Amino acid sequence: MCRLLGYLGPPILLDYILSKPEHSLIEQSYQPREMTSGLLNADGFGIGWYHPQRDTDPFIYKNTLPIWSDINLPNLSRYIESGCILGYVRSATSGQAVDLSNCQPFRYGHLLFTHNGFIQHFRQTLYRPIRNRLSDEAYQAIDGSTDSEHIFALLINELTVNPDIALEKALHNSLITLAELAQFHEVKVAANIIVTDGRRLVASRFSTRKPAPSLYWLRDDPIFPDAVIIASEPLFAGNWIGFPENSIISVGEDLDIQIS
């Protein structure tokens, strides 16, 4: 299991959200509290963010090193600021390569995507069935070999086949497809996801077995006023609210939160 982080609010320096909280994403990489499998998140990491003034495609910084070993990240995170940030530390599923193509966040156009979870025995079960569901555009968007990126490809497929579809509906449809495939092939799936277009966050806590991996949200904390944070584990003491099982939460530009 990996650890995820999403931030939407006023522009902040990356280190305010990555390293300064008492149970920061960096600490969660080596001392997670709520992981249901694995002990560490030492198989790489990634940070994605959007420019605070210009409407550009998002930026990504990735490494296959553990996040605590990257000597460049502290300097970058004291310089870069953004109002929309995704972070991720990886605990690689057995048999999946530890390389940059498999590090998240994944990017497609203006979207950033992170996933925490698994598809049971992915290469032997849903690898081919998922690919059979994809348009050429979604299929060609896959660079790596992870179950996570193939779940993202299902989302890309929804968005490219139905250009007017809302991001929330596209994620919902993707999870329904994933659940149907998992049921047919009799495998377990967990899909905690955060996806953003830079203006809003859409996240899911989903699993075909209970309990689903942990996921929380927090709004308007005194440390981060006028902001929403989504995280696998609370970053600090505060009014963190757990996602309901098998739910999607949408955070709008005005920080309005919708739960379905």
Side-chain angles (χ1 to χ4, degrees):
M1 291 294 177
C2 310
R3 303 287 84 181
L4 308 180
L5 170 67
Y7 170 88
L8 185 68
I12 59 171
L13 292 170
L14 297 190
D15 70 343
Y16 282 20
I17 197 75
L18 296 180
S19 59
K20 288 190 174 182
E22 59 194 57
H23 190 53
S24 68
L25 191 65
I26 293 175
E27 180 173 296
Q28 290 180 35
S29 68
Y30 62 81
Q31 200 170 20
R33 297 171 179 165
E34 300 190 39
M35 281 176 60
T36 56
S37 64
L39 298 175
L40 298 172
N41 295 283
D43 300 314
F45 72 93
I47 311 298
W49 69 94
Y50 293 78
H51 197 285
Q53 283 90 36
R54 295 201 299 270
D55 184 19
T56 64
D57 285 344
F59 305 92
I60 296 178
Y61 179 73
K62 300 180 180 183
N63 203 326
T64 55
L65 290 172
I67 192 170
W68 67 78
S69 295
D70 188 312
I71 63 173
N72 295 311
L73 182 61
N75 289 305
L76 291 173
S77 62
R78 289 189 300 109
Y79 173 75
I80 297 167
E81 61 180 303
S82 176
C84 184
I85 302 164
L86 291 191
Y88 160 89
V89 289
R90 185 184 185 204
S91 178
T93 302
S94 178
Q96 293 187 359
V98 177
D99 60 35
L100 287 175
S101 65
N102 286 337
C103 281
Q104 304 181 45
F106 300 121
R107 177 174 56 194
Y108 178 79
H110 217 59
L111 294 180
L112 289 175
F113 173 99
T114 57
H115 165 244
N116 168 40
F118 67 95
I119 296 175
Q120 186 181 28
H121 308 308
F122 171 60
R123 294 288 294 190
Q124 294 76 39
T125 58
L126 298 194
Y127 177 79
R128 184 63 179 268
I130 286 178
R131 288 187 167 226
N132 288 343
R133 295 289 187 104
L134 303 177
S135 65
D136 286 345
E137 186 171 351
Y139 188 98
Q140 294 297 328
I142 299 172
D143 291 326
S145 59
T146 63
D147 49 2
S148 301
E149 193 173 14
H150 284 72
I151 295 171
F152 186 31
L154 287 174
L155 178 63
I156 294 170
N157 190 73
E158 289 288 335
L159 294 168
T160 54
V161 172
N162 307 291
D164 296 326
I165 194 171
L167 190 55
E168 295 84 352
K169 181 62 174 176
L171 178 57
H172 176 267
N173 290 351
S174 301
L175 293 174
I176 293 297
T177 298
L178 191 61
E180 291 173 348
L181 290 172
Q183 182 177 26
F184 182 81
H185 293 274
E186 298 181 337
V187 296
K188 300 171 183 176
V189 168
N192 282 10
I193 289 166
I194 307 175
V195 60
T196 180
D197 58 5
R199 295 181 174 87
R200 55 205 166 117
L201 298 176
V202 179
S204 66
R205 184 185 182 206
F206 172 79
S207 181
T208 58
R209 68 175 184 182
K210 292 187 177 183
S214 61
L215 197 64
Y216 299 86
W217 63 274
L218 175 76
R219 177 178 172 177
D220 290 330
D221 186 86
I223 302 174
F224 295 95
D226 302 317
V228 171
I229 302 172
I230 297 173
S232 296
E233 301 180 11
L235 304 178
F236 47 83
N239 188 30
W240 294 90
I241 300 172
F243 275 53
E245 293 267 353
N246 294 345
S247 66
I248 291 175
I249 290 183
S250 174
V251 184
E253 292 185 58
D254 57 358
L255 302 186
D256 181 51
I257 294 175
Q258 302 291 328
I259 303 174
S260 60

